[in-house]
Each structure stands twice: as structure tokens, then as C-alpha cells.
Amino acid sequence: YKYSCTALTGVLLLSGCVANDQRASTIEQRIEARLEASQSIDAGMASPLAANADFEGAIKLAVKVNKAFLSARALETAAMAQVGTAKALRRPQVSATASGGSLKEGSPVDNQITGIAADLMLSQLVYDGGASNAAIDGALAQALVARASAQEAGNTAALDAIQAWADLWAVQQ
């Protein structure tokens, strides 16, 4: 009876961890799908802008080469990497150590003892009071903020390009 209660408690604690991890994975998958969709749109643009380029292509190119947008996208990528780092707290951890040595003793030194020792340790987080969930949720929130900042930088670059295009058109008329 004692062992079954202990096992049941362990299963319940671990099942609570899995449900939250699945929720985080779903959110992360949605973020990554949106990132990939926006990156595939950017990848389809040609780098050089021809003199008779269309309006939409010119705006996309202006956004693609905008330094603020590129910087925001780099910060977004870094924030997404932090999600993986936070999720690593919940994965098994392995550590290893090795040491060797020699001991000479006696008078005169007539006895020598040598030895090697190794240690391998595997550990798994069972319960941390929600700290790992908070770290994952915080990293996801930072990734969403970074994504929103990248979108804002892209929108600002597009607005500036549209304004420049409109100003050029007005001057030419």
C-alpha cells in the first residue's frame, strides 16, 4: 500500500508537468509556423530593385533591407532560442566526473597506490513549485513581444517606404 501511494503521487506530479509542456509546445509551434510563413514571404523577394519595379515589390524590398527590421528579427530569433533553453530545465540532466591520482608513502618511499574514479549522474526534475513552467511561459511571452516588435519595425519600414514612394510620385506629377 505504501509503495502504491508513493508511485501514484509521483505519477500525478509528473502528469501535471506534461500537460503544461504540451501547452507550451503548441504555442511554440504556432509561433514557429508564423515565423516560417513570414520568412518564406521575405525569401521570395529579389534583392536588386529594377527601375520599373512594382509598388508592392519595392515596399517588400524596403522592409527586407531595413536595419531596424533586421535587428528586430534577430532579437526575435534570440527570444525563440530562449524558449528552448527554458524547456531544457524540464529535461533529464546528465553530469560526469573523472579523477585519477597516485599516492606514495613509506620511509623510504616504497609503496605507491594509484587509482582512477569516475562518476556519472542522471537527474530529472520532479517538482519545482512551478518555476520551470514560469520560465517557459516567460520565454514564450518574450518571444511574442519580440515578434510584435519585429512586425512593428516592418510596418514602420513599410510606411516610410510608402511615404517616400508617394512623395516621389507627387514630385513627378
Side-chain angles (χ1 to χ4, degrees):
Y1 175 75
K2 179 180 172 183
Y3 295 113
S4 61
C5 286
T6 304
L8 180 61
T9 303
V11 168
L12 289 175
L13 285 173
L14 290 175
S15 68
C17 295
V18 171
N20 239 350
D21 196 36
Q22 289 172 345
R23 180 182 59 82
S25 294
T26 303
I27 293 171
E28 184 179 2
Q29 288 170 353
R30 285 191 221 157
I31 292 172
E32 287 177 3
R34 288 186 182 179
L35 288 175
E36 288 175 11
S38 66
Q39 287 172 352
S40 66
I41 291 170
D42 292 343
M45 296 185 300
S47 293
L49 182 61
N52 59 354
D54 64 318
F55 177 74
E56 184 178 344
I59 300 306
K60 285 181 179 180
L61 180 62
V63 171
K64 181 180 177 184
V65 299
N66 182 276
K67 299 296 183 194
F69 178 69
L70 294 173
S71 174
R73 289 299 291 259
L75 290 174
E76 177 184 359
T77 302
M80 287 301 297
Q82 291 302 316
V83 173
T85 302
K87 290 175 100 176
L89 296 172
R90 307 192 69 188
R91 295 187 184 112
Q93 307 293 316
V94 177
S95 63
T97 59
S99 60
S102 176
L103 175 66
K104 294 181 181 183
E105 63 182 5
S107 179
V109 178
D110 58 357
N111 191 15
Q112 181 174 352
I113 301 170
T114 59
I116 298 174
D119 181 32
L120 180 66
M121 186 167 64
L122 174 68
S123 63
Q124 172 65 51
L125 175 68
V126 176
Y127 180 74
D128 65 356
S132 61
N133 288 339
I136 293 168
D137 290 344
L140 285 170
Q142 290 298 321
L144 291 172
V145 168
R147 177 66 182 145
S149 295
Q151 288 176 341
E152 180 183 10
N155 289 341
T156 300
L159 180 62
D160 291 345
I162 290 169
Q163 187 66 46
W165 190 282
D167 291 346
L168 177 65
W169 179 80
V171 168
Q172 291 176 344
Q173 295 303 322

PDB file of all heavy atoms in Angstrom, residues 17-28 31 79-80 82-91 125 128 130-144:
ATOM      1  N   CYS A  17       3.209  18.049 -14.968  1.00  0.00           N
ATOM      2  CA  CYS A  17       4.290  18.675 -15.728  1.00  0.00           C
ATOM      3  C   CYS A  17       4.093  18.480 -17.219  1.00  0.00           C
ATOM      4  O   CYS A  17       4.331  19.378 -18.005  1.00  0.00           O
ATOM      5  CB  CYS A  17       5.645  18.096 -15.319  1.00  0.00           C
ATOM      6  SG  CYS A  17       6.102  18.468 -13.624  1.00  0.00           S
ATOM      7  N   VAL A  18       3.637  17.311 -17.624  1.00  0.00           N
ATOM      8  CA  VAL A  18       3.487  17.002 -19.051  1.00  0.00           C
ATOM      9  C   VAL A  18       2.412  17.868 -19.685  1.00  0.00           C
ATOM     10  O   VAL A  18       2.586  18.386 -20.776  1.00  0.00           O
ATOM     11  CB  VAL A  18       3.175  15.499 -19.243  1.00  0.00           C
ATOM     12  CG1 VAL A  18       2.805  15.204 -20.667  1.00  0.00           C
ATOM     13  CG2 VAL A  18       4.373  14.678 -18.831  1.00  0.00           C
ATOM     14  N   ALA A  19       1.292  18.065 -19.015  1.00  0.00           N
ATOM     15  CA  ALA A  19       0.200  18.833 -19.606  1.00  0.00           C
ATOM     16  C   ALA A  19       0.645  20.253 -19.933  1.00  0.00           C
ATOM     17  O   ALA A  19       0.335  20.777 -20.989  1.00  0.00           O
ATOM     18  CB  ALA A  19      -0.988  18.856 -18.642  1.00  0.00           C
ATOM     19  N   ASN A  20       1.366  20.885 -19.020  1.00  0.00           N
ATOM     20  CA  ASN A  20       1.833  22.237 -19.270  1.00  0.00           C
ATOM     21  C   ASN A  20       2.864  22.274 -20.382  1.00  0.00           C
ATOM     22  O   ASN A  20       2.912  23.208 -21.158  1.00  0.00           O
ATOM     23  CB  ASN A  20       2.427  22.818 -17.987  1.00  0.00           C
ATOM     24  CG  ASN A  20       1.718  24.075 -17.573  1.00  0.00           C
ATOM     25  OD1 ASN A  20       0.915  24.607 -18.313  1.00  0.00           O
ATOM     26  ND2 ASN A  20       2.011  24.526 -16.379  1.00  0.00           N
ATOM     27  N   ASP A  21       3.728  21.264 -20.461  1.00  0.00           N
ATOM     28  CA  ASP A  21       4.732  21.211 -21.507  1.00  0.00           C
ATOM     29  C   ASP A  21       4.078  21.071 -22.874  1.00  0.00           C
ATOM     30  O   ASP A  21       4.529  21.665 -23.844  1.00  0.00           O
ATOM     31  CB  ASP A  21       5.695  20.057 -21.246  1.00  0.00           C
ATOM     32  CG  ASP A  21       6.962  20.174 -22.056  1.00  0.00           C
ATOM     33  OD1 ASP A  21       7.429  21.320 -22.244  1.00  0.00           O
ATOM     34  OD2 ASP A  21       7.480  19.143 -22.494  1.00  0.00           O
ATOM     35  N   GLN A  22       3.003  20.307 -22.960  1.00  0.00           N
ATOM     36  CA  GLN A  22       2.295  20.164 -24.226  1.00  0.00           C
ATOM     37  C   GLN A  22       1.668  21.491 -24.632  1.00  0.00           C
ATOM     38  O   GLN A  22       1.654  21.844 -25.802  1.00  0.00           O
ATOM     39  CB  GLN A  22       1.237  19.064 -24.126  1.00  0.00           C
ATOM     40  CG  GLN A  22       1.836  17.675 -24.045  1.00  0.00           C
ATOM     41  CD  GLN A  22       0.799  16.609 -23.763  1.00  0.00           C
ATOM     42  OE1 GLN A  22      -0.319  16.900 -23.360  1.00  0.00           O
ATOM     43  NE2 GLN A  22       1.186  15.368 -23.986  1.00  0.00           N
ATOM     44  N   ARG A  23       1.137  22.234 -23.678  1.00  0.00           N
ATOM     45  CA  ARG A  23       0.556  23.541 -23.975  1.00  0.00           C
ATOM     46  C   ARG A  23       1.625  24.484 -24.503  1.00  0.00           C
ATOM     47  O   ARG A  23       1.425  25.185 -25.491  1.00  0.00           O
ATOM     48  CB  ARG A  23      -0.089  24.135 -22.721  1.00  0.00           C
ATOM     49  CG  ARG A  23      -0.716  25.507 -22.940  1.00  0.00           C
ATOM     50  CD  ARG A  23      -1.280  26.053 -21.643  1.00  0.00           C
ATOM     51  NE  ARG A  23      -0.300  26.196 -20.611  1.00  0.00           N
ATOM     52  CZ  ARG A  23       0.531  27.232 -20.505  1.00  0.00           C
ATOM     53  NH1 ARG A  23       0.491  28.195 -21.369  1.00  0.00           N
ATOM     54  NH2 ARG A  23       1.407  27.290 -19.520  1.00  0.00           N
ATOM     55  N   ALA A  24       2.783  24.467 -23.874  1.00  0.00           N
ATOM     56  CA  ALA A  24       3.882  25.311 -24.324  1.00  0.00           C
ATOM     57  C   ALA A  24       4.337  24.901 -25.718  1.00  0.00           C
ATOM     58  O   ALA A  24       4.633  25.757 -26.555  1.00  0.00           O
ATOM     59  CB  ALA A  24       5.048  25.235 -23.342  1.00  0.00           C
ATOM     60  N   SER A  25       4.374  23.600 -25.991  1.00  0.00           N
ATOM     61  CA  SER A  25       4.766  23.133 -27.319  1.00  0.00           C
ATOM     62  C   SER A  25       3.791  23.606 -28.380  1.00  0.00           C
ATOM     63  O   SER A  25       4.191  23.990 -29.476  1.00  0.00           O
ATOM     64  CB  SER A  25       4.844  21.610 -27.341  1.00  0.00           C
ATOM     65  OG  SER A  25       5.872  21.166 -26.506  1.00  0.00           O
ATOM     66  N   THR A  26       2.510  23.593 -28.074  1.00  0.00           N
ATOM     67  CA  THR A  26       1.503  24.050 -29.029  1.00  0.00           C
ATOM     68  C   THR A  26       1.680  25.527 -29.337  1.00  0.00           C
ATOM     69  O   THR A  26       1.639  25.931 -30.501  1.00  0.00           O
ATOM     70  CB  THR A  26       0.089  23.791 -28.463  1.00  0.00           C
ATOM     71  OG1 THR A  26      -0.038  22.404 -28.171  1.00  0.00           O
ATOM     72  CG2 THR A  26      -0.976  24.206 -29.456  1.00  0.00           C
ATOM     73  N   ILE A  27       1.888  26.326 -28.306  1.00  0.00           N
ATOM     74  CA  ILE A  27       2.102  27.760 -28.515  1.00  0.00           C
ATOM     75  C   ILE A  27       3.369  27.983 -29.323  1.00  0.00           C
ATOM     76  O   ILE A  27       3.388  28.782 -30.264  1.00  0.00           O
ATOM     77  CB  ILE A  27       2.171  28.502 -27.159  1.00  0.00           C
ATOM     78  CG1 ILE A  27       0.803  28.442 -26.465  1.00  0.00           C
ATOM     79  CG2 ILE A  27       2.607  29.948 -27.354  1.00  0.00           C
ATOM     80  CD1 ILE A  27       0.826  28.940 -25.044  1.00  0.00           C
ATOM     81  N   GLU A  28       4.439  27.262 -28.978  1.00  0.00           N
ATOM     82  CA  GLU A  28       5.709  27.408 -29.696  1.00  0.00           C
ATOM     83  C   GLU A  28       5.545  27.003 -31.162  1.00  0.00           C
ATOM     84  O   GLU A  28       6.091  27.667 -32.049  1.00  0.00           O
ATOM     85  CB  GLU A  28       6.786  26.561 -29.030  1.00  0.00           C
ATOM     86  CG  GLU A  28       8.141  26.742 -29.648  1.00  0.00           C
ATOM     87  CD  GLU A  28       9.206  25.917 -28.960  1.00  0.00           C
ATOM     88  OE1 GLU A  28       8.877  25.161 -28.018  1.00  0.00           O
ATOM     89  OE2 GLU A  28      10.361  26.022 -29.362  1.00  0.00           O
ATOM     90  N   ILE A  31       3.887  29.826 -33.025  1.00  0.00           N
ATOM     91  CA  ILE A  31       4.826  30.935 -33.244  1.00  0.00           C
ATOM     92  C   ILE A  31       5.780  30.594 -34.381  1.00  0.00           C
ATOM     93  O   ILE A  31       6.007  31.398 -35.286  1.00  0.00           O
ATOM     94  CB  ILE A  31       5.608  31.263 -31.953  1.00  0.00           C
ATOM     95  CG1 ILE A  31       4.670  31.861 -30.911  1.00  0.00           C
ATOM     96  CG2 ILE A  31       6.753  32.223 -32.248  1.00  0.00           C
ATOM     97  CD1 ILE A  31       5.310  32.027 -29.546  1.00  0.00           C
ATOM     98  N   ALA A  79      14.992  35.373 -28.942  1.00  0.00           N
ATOM     99  CA  ALA A  79      13.919  35.107 -27.979  1.00  0.00           C
ATOM    100  C   ALA A  79      13.346  33.710 -28.179  1.00  0.00           C
ATOM    101  O   ALA A  79      13.029  33.014 -27.206  1.00  0.00           O
ATOM    102  CB  ALA A  79      12.822  36.161 -28.113  1.00  0.00           C
ATOM    103  N   MET A  80      13.237  33.269 -29.425  1.00  0.00           N
ATOM    104  CA  MET A  80      12.745  31.916 -29.681  1.00  0.00           C
ATOM    105  C   MET A  80      13.732  30.873 -29.146  1.00  0.00           C
ATOM    106  O   MET A  80      13.322  29.823 -28.669  1.00  0.00           O
ATOM    107  CB  MET A  80      12.512  31.700 -31.174  1.00  0.00           C
ATOM    108  CG  MET A  80      11.299  32.427 -31.720  1.00  0.00           C
ATOM    109  SD  MET A  80       9.762  31.959 -30.899  1.00  0.00           S
ATOM    110  CE  MET A  80       9.668  30.233 -31.316  1.00  0.00           C
ATOM    111  N   GLN A  82      15.471  31.189 -26.512  1.00  0.00           N
ATOM    112  CA  GLN A  82      15.306  31.159 -25.062  1.00  0.00           C
ATOM    113  C   GLN A  82      14.181  30.225 -24.640  1.00  0.00           C
ATOM    114  O   GLN A  82      14.186  29.701 -23.523  1.00  0.00           O
ATOM    115  CB  GLN A  82      15.067  32.570 -24.508  1.00  0.00           C
ATOM    116  CG  GLN A  82      16.280  33.466 -24.599  1.00  0.00           C
ATOM    117  CD  GLN A  82      17.473  32.883 -23.873  1.00  0.00           C
ATOM    118  OE1 GLN A  82      17.367  32.377 -22.756  1.00  0.00           O
ATOM    119  NE2 GLN A  82      18.626  32.920 -24.511  1.00  0.00           N
ATOM    120  N   VAL A  83      13.194  30.021 -25.524  1.00  0.00           N
ATOM    121  CA  VAL A  83      12.121  29.082 -25.213  1.00  0.00           C
ATOM    122  C   VAL A  83      12.710  27.683 -25.067  1.00  0.00           C
ATOM    123  O   VAL A  83      12.402  26.962 -24.115  1.00  0.00           O
ATOM    124  CB  VAL A  83      11.023  29.111 -26.307  1.00  0.00           C
ATOM    125  CG1 VAL A  83       9.993  28.025 -26.063  1.00  0.00           C
ATOM    126  CG2 VAL A  83      10.348  30.474 -26.357  1.00  0.00           C
ATOM    127  N   GLY A  84      13.579  27.317 -25.983  1.00  0.00           N
ATOM    128  CA  GLY A  84      14.230  26.014 -25.898  1.00  0.00           C
ATOM    129  C   GLY A  84      15.094  25.884 -24.657  1.00  0.00           C
ATOM    130  O   GLY A  84      15.142  24.821 -24.023  1.00  0.00           O
ATOM    131  N   THR A  85      15.762  26.951 -24.307  1.00  0.00           N
ATOM    132  CA  THR A  85      16.590  26.943 -23.100  1.00  0.00           C
ATOM    133  C   THR A  85      15.731  26.733 -21.856  1.00  0.00           C
ATOM    134  O   THR A  85      16.092  25.966 -20.962  1.00  0.00           O
ATOM    135  CB  THR A  85      17.378  28.259 -22.981  1.00  0.00           C
ATOM    136  OG1 THR A  85      18.185  28.415 -24.151  1.00  0.00           O
ATOM    137  CG2 THR A  85      18.247  28.286 -21.742  1.00  0.00           C
ATOM    138  N   ALA A  86      14.600  27.413 -21.805  1.00  0.00           N
ATOM    139  CA  ALA A  86      13.707  27.271 -20.655  1.00  0.00           C
ATOM    140  C   ALA A  86      13.123  25.857 -20.586  1.00  0.00           C
ATOM    141  O   ALA A  86      12.985  25.285 -19.503  1.00  0.00           O
ATOM    142  CB  ALA A  86      12.584  28.303 -20.727  1.00  0.00           C
ATOM    143  N   LYS A  87      12.813  25.279 -21.739  1.00  0.00           N
ATOM    144  CA  LYS A  87      12.262  23.927 -21.756  1.00  0.00           C
ATOM    145  C   LYS A  87      13.304  22.889 -21.344  1.00  0.00           C
ATOM    146  O   LYS A  87      12.965  21.825 -20.858  1.00  0.00           O
ATOM    147  CB  LYS A  87      11.714  23.605 -23.146  1.00  0.00           C
ATOM    148  CG  LYS A  87      10.462  24.392 -23.468  1.00  0.00           C
ATOM    149  CD  LYS A  87      10.023  24.130 -24.878  1.00  0.00           C
ATOM    150  CE  LYS A  87       8.905  23.129 -24.831  1.00  0.00           C
ATOM    151  NZ  LYS A  87       8.338  22.880 -26.158  1.00  0.00           N
ATOM    152  N   ALA A  88      14.565  23.207 -21.521  1.00  0.00           N
ATOM    153  CA  ALA A  88      15.638  22.271 -21.147  1.00  0.00           C
ATOM    154  C   ALA A  88      15.671  22.032 -19.643  1.00  0.00           C
ATOM    155  O   ALA A  88      16.177  21.002 -19.189  1.00  0.00           O
ATOM    156  CB  ALA A  88      16.983  22.797 -21.628  1.00  0.00           C
ATOM    157  N   LEU A  89      15.139  22.966 -18.863  1.00  0.00           N
ATOM    158  CA  LEU A  89      15.105  22.782 -17.412  1.00  0.00           C
ATOM    159  C   LEU A  89      14.288  21.555 -17.023  1.00  0.00           C
ATOM    160  O   LEU A  89      14.495  20.980 -15.959  1.00  0.00           O
ATOM    161  CB  LEU A  89      14.505  24.018 -16.734  1.00  0.00           C
ATOM    162  CG  LEU A  89      15.289  25.321 -16.869  1.00  0.00           C
ATOM    163  CD1 LEU A  89      14.487  26.481 -16.312  1.00  0.00           C
ATOM    164  CD2 LEU A  89      16.626  25.204 -16.166  1.00  0.00           C
ATOM    165  N   ARG A  90      13.367  21.139 -17.871  1.00  0.00           N
ATOM    166  CA  ARG A  90      12.476  20.033 -17.550  1.00  0.00           C
ATOM    167  C   ARG A  90      12.970  18.711 -18.098  1.00  0.00           C
ATOM    168  O   ARG A  90      12.373  17.682 -17.853  1.00  0.00           O
ATOM    169  CB  ARG A  90      11.099  20.341 -18.113  1.00  0.00           C
ATOM    170  CG  ARG A  90      10.644  21.714 -17.618  1.00  0.00           C
ATOM    171  CD  ARG A  90       9.274  21.977 -17.875  1.00  0.00           C
ATOM    172  NE  ARG A  90       8.500  21.091 -17.017  1.00  0.00           N
ATOM    173  CZ  ARG A  90       7.207  20.980 -17.123  1.00  0.00           C
ATOM    174  NH1 ARG A  90       6.577  21.670 -18.010  1.00  0.00           N
ATOM    175  NH2 ARG A  90       6.546  20.174 -16.339  1.00  0.00           N
ATOM    176  N   ARG A  91      14.045  18.728 -18.835  1.00  0.00           N
ATOM    177  CA  ARG A  91      14.582  17.502 -19.421  1.00  0.00           C
ATOM    178  C   ARG A  91      15.597  16.868 -18.469  1.00  0.00           C
ATOM    179  O   ARG A  91      16.146  17.539 -17.605  1.00  0.00           O
ATOM    180  CB  ARG A  91      15.238  17.821 -20.761  1.00  0.00           C
ATOM    181  CG  ARG A  91      14.231  18.300 -21.780  1.00  0.00           C
ATOM    182  CD  ARG A  91      14.858  18.441 -23.160  1.00  0.00           C
ATOM    183  NE  ARG A  91      13.876  18.982 -24.074  1.00  0.00           N
ATOM    184  CZ  ARG A  91      13.948  20.187 -24.619  1.00  0.00           C
ATOM    185  NH1 ARG A  91      14.968  20.963 -24.360  1.00  0.00           N
ATOM    186  NH2 ARG A  91      13.007  20.598 -25.435  1.00  0.00           N
ATOM    187  N   LEU A 125      14.066  16.557 -13.002  1.00  0.00           N
ATOM    188  CA  LEU A 125      13.250  17.432 -12.182  1.00  0.00           C
ATOM    189  C   LEU A 125      11.888  16.781 -11.959  1.00  0.00           C
ATOM    190  O   LEU A 125      11.256  16.333 -12.908  1.00  0.00           O
ATOM    191  CB  LEU A 125      13.075  18.783 -12.887  1.00  0.00           C
ATOM    192  CG  LEU A 125      12.147  19.785 -12.222  1.00  0.00           C
ATOM    193  CD1 LEU A 125      12.760  20.255 -10.912  1.00  0.00           C
ATOM    194  CD2 LEU A 125      11.884  20.949 -13.140  1.00  0.00           C
ATOM    195  N   ASP A 128       9.151  21.612  -8.943  1.00  0.00           N
ATOM    196  CA  ASP A 128       9.889  22.829  -8.614  1.00  0.00           C
ATOM    197  C   ASP A 128       8.971  23.990  -8.241  1.00  0.00           C
ATOM    198  O   ASP A 128       9.368  25.139  -8.288  1.00  0.00           O
ATOM    199  CB  ASP A 128      10.814  23.230  -9.763  1.00  0.00           C
ATOM    200  CG  ASP A 128      10.051  23.610 -11.019  1.00  0.00           C
ATOM    201  OD1 ASP A 128       8.814  23.499 -11.040  1.00  0.00           O
ATOM    202  OD2 ASP A 128      10.699  24.027 -11.994  1.00  0.00           O
ATOM    203  N   GLY A 130       6.511  25.173  -9.826  1.00  0.00           N
ATOM    204  CA  GLY A 130       6.072  25.960 -10.967  1.00  0.00           C
ATOM    205  C   GLY A 130       7.135  26.857 -11.579  1.00  0.00           C
ATOM    206  O   GLY A 130       6.862  27.595 -12.517  1.00  0.00           O
ATOM    207  N   ALA A 131       8.356  26.793 -11.060  1.00  0.00           N
ATOM    208  CA  ALA A 131       9.420  27.672 -11.564  1.00  0.00           C
ATOM    209  C   ALA A 131       9.751  27.375 -13.023  1.00  0.00           C
ATOM    210  O   ALA A 131       9.944  28.299 -13.818  1.00  0.00           O
ATOM    211  CB  ALA A 131      10.673  27.539 -10.700  1.00  0.00           C
ATOM    212  N   SER A 132       9.802  26.101 -13.397  1.00  0.00           N
ATOM    213  CA  SER A 132      10.122  25.775 -14.796  1.00  0.00           C
ATOM    214  C   SER A 132       8.984  26.192 -15.719  1.00  0.00           C
ATOM    215  O   SER A 132       9.225  26.687 -16.825  1.00  0.00           O
ATOM    216  CB  SER A 132      10.440  24.289 -14.951  1.00  0.00           C
ATOM    217  OG  SER A 132       9.323  23.502 -14.578  1.00  0.00           O
ATOM    218  N   ASN A 133       7.744  26.021 -15.273  1.00  0.00           N
ATOM    219  CA  ASN A 133       6.602  26.481 -16.077  1.00  0.00           C
ATOM    220  C   ASN A 133       6.642  27.990 -16.248  1.00  0.00           C
ATOM    221  O   ASN A 133       6.363  28.512 -17.336  1.00  0.00           O
ATOM    222  CB  ASN A 133       5.284  26.075 -15.430  1.00  0.00           C
ATOM    223  CG  ASN A 133       5.025  24.591 -15.540  1.00  0.00           C
ATOM    224  OD1 ASN A 133       5.592  23.931 -16.392  1.00  0.00           O
ATOM    225  ND2 ASN A 133       4.191  24.071 -14.666  1.00  0.00           N
ATOM    226  N   ALA A 134       6.982  28.689 -15.187  1.00  0.00           N
ATOM    227  CA  ALA A 134       7.075  30.146 -15.263  1.00  0.00           C
ATOM    228  C   ALA A 134       8.184  30.572 -16.218  1.00  0.00           C
ATOM    229  O   ALA A 134       8.027  31.532 -16.975  1.00  0.00           O
ATOM    230  CB  ALA A 134       7.311  30.734 -13.873  1.00  0.00           C
ATOM    231  N   ALA A 135       9.306  29.849 -16.200  1.00  0.00           N
ATOM    232  CA  ALA A 135      10.408  30.173 -17.114  1.00  0.00           C
ATOM    233  C   ALA A 135       9.996  29.948 -18.563  1.00  0.00           C
ATOM    234  O   ALA A 135      10.301  30.763 -19.442  1.00  0.00           O
ATOM    235  CB  ALA A 135      11.639  29.333 -16.775  1.00  0.00           C
ATOM    236  N   ILE A 136       9.288  28.853 -18.829  1.00  0.00           N
ATOM    237  CA  ILE A 136       8.824  28.571 -20.189  1.00  0.00           C
ATOM    238  C   ILE A 136       7.814  29.619 -20.630  1.00  0.00           C
ATOM    239  O   ILE A 136       7.901  30.166 -21.735  1.00  0.00           O
ATOM    240  CB  ILE A 136       8.223  27.154 -20.282  1.00  0.00           C
ATOM    241  CG1 ILE A 136       9.314  26.105 -20.082  1.00  0.00           C
ATOM    242  CG2 ILE A 136       7.508  26.944 -21.617  1.00  0.00           C
ATOM    243  CD1 ILE A 136       8.788  24.703 -19.881  1.00  0.00           C
ATOM    244  N   ASP A 137       6.839  29.911 -19.765  1.00  0.00           N
ATOM    245  CA  ASP A 137       5.830  30.920 -20.104  1.00  0.00           C
ATOM    246  C   ASP A 137       6.464  32.294 -20.308  1.00  0.00           C
ATOM    247  O   ASP A 137       6.078  33.042 -21.206  1.00  0.00           O
ATOM    248  CB  ASP A 137       4.758  30.996 -19.016  1.00  0.00           C
ATOM    249  CG  ASP A 137       3.867  29.755 -19.001  1.00  0.00           C
ATOM    250  OD1 ASP A 137       3.883  28.997 -19.987  1.00  0.00           O
ATOM    251  OD2 ASP A 137       3.157  29.562 -17.993  1.00  0.00           O
ATOM    252  N   GLY A 138       7.454  32.631 -19.478  1.00  0.00           N
ATOM    253  CA  GLY A 138       8.143  33.912 -19.640  1.00  0.00           C
ATOM    254  C   GLY A 138       8.899  33.991 -20.957  1.00  0.00           C
ATOM    255  O   GLY A 138       8.882  35.016 -21.637  1.00  0.00           O
ATOM    256  N   ALA A 139       9.554  32.892 -21.322  1.00  0.00           N
ATOM    257  CA  ALA A 139      10.278  32.862 -22.596  1.00  0.00           C
ATOM    258  C   ALA A 139       9.310  32.964 -23.772  1.00  0.00           C
ATOM    259  O   ALA A 139       9.589  33.653 -24.760  1.00  0.00           O
ATOM    260  CB  ALA A 139      11.118  31.592 -22.698  1.00  0.00           C
ATOM    261  N   LEU A 140       8.165  32.291 -23.662  1.00  0.00           N
ATOM    262  CA  LEU A 140       7.158  32.397 -24.728  1.00  0.00           C
ATOM    263  C   LEU A 140       6.625  33.823 -24.839  1.00  0.00           C
ATOM    264  O   LEU A 140       6.430  34.339 -25.946  1.00  0.00           O
ATOM    265  CB  LEU A 140       6.010  31.421 -24.466  1.00  0.00           C
ATOM    266  CG  LEU A 140       6.305  29.958 -24.737  1.00  0.00           C
ATOM    267  CD1 LEU A 140       5.189  29.070 -24.202  1.00  0.00           C
ATOM    268  CD2 LEU A 140       6.499  29.724 -26.225  1.00  0.00           C
ATOM    269  N   ALA A 141       6.407  34.449 -23.693  1.00  0.00           N
ATOM    270  CA  ALA A 141       5.928  35.834 -23.714  1.00  0.00           C
ATOM    271  C   ALA A 141       6.965  36.755 -24.348  1.00  0.00           C
ATOM    272  O   ALA A 141       6.617  37.633 -25.151  1.00  0.00           O
ATOM    273  CB  ALA A 141       5.608  36.295 -22.286  1.00  0.00           C
ATOM    274  N   GLN A 142       8.237  36.550 -24.012  1.00  0.00           N
ATOM    275  CA  GLN A 142       9.297  37.360 -24.620  1.00  0.00           C
ATOM    276  C   GLN A 142       9.371  37.131 -26.130  1.00  0.00           C
ATOM    277  O   GLN A 142       9.622  38.065 -26.899  1.00  0.00           O
ATOM    278  CB  GLN A 142      10.649  37.043 -23.972  1.00  0.00           C
ATOM    279  CG  GLN A 142      10.772  37.528 -22.555  1.00  0.00           C
ATOM    280  CD  GLN A 142      10.660  39.044 -22.446  1.00  0.00           C
ATOM    281  OE1 GLN A 142      11.158  39.773 -23.278  1.00  0.00           O
ATOM    282  NE2 GLN A 142       9.968  39.499 -21.418  1.00  0.00           N
ATOM    283  N   ALA A 143       9.136  35.880 -26.562  1.00  0.00           N
ATOM    284  CA  ALA A 143       9.145  35.587 -27.999  1.00  0.00           C
ATOM    285  C   ALA A 143       7.992  36.303 -28.692  1.00  0.00           C
ATOM    286  O   ALA A 143       8.159  36.842 -29.801  1.00  0.00           O
ATOM    287  CB  ALA A 143       9.055  34.083 -28.231  1.00  0.00           C
ATOM    288  N   LEU A 144       6.833  36.333 -28.045  1.00  0.00           N
ATOM    289  CA  LEU A 144       5.688  37.048 -28.634  1.00  0.00           C
ATOM    290  C   LEU A 144       5.943  38.549 -28.691  1.00  0.00           C
ATOM    291  O   LEU A 144       5.593  39.210 -29.673  1.00  0.00           O
ATOM    292  CB  LEU A 144       4.415  36.752 -27.838  1.00  0.00           C
ATOM    293  CG  LEU A 144       3.891  35.329 -27.950  1.00  0.00           C
ATOM    294  CD1 LEU A 144       2.751  35.094 -26.976  1.00  0.00           C
ATOM    295  CD2 LEU A 144       3.454  35.036 -29.374  1.00  0.00           C
TER     296      LEU A 144
END
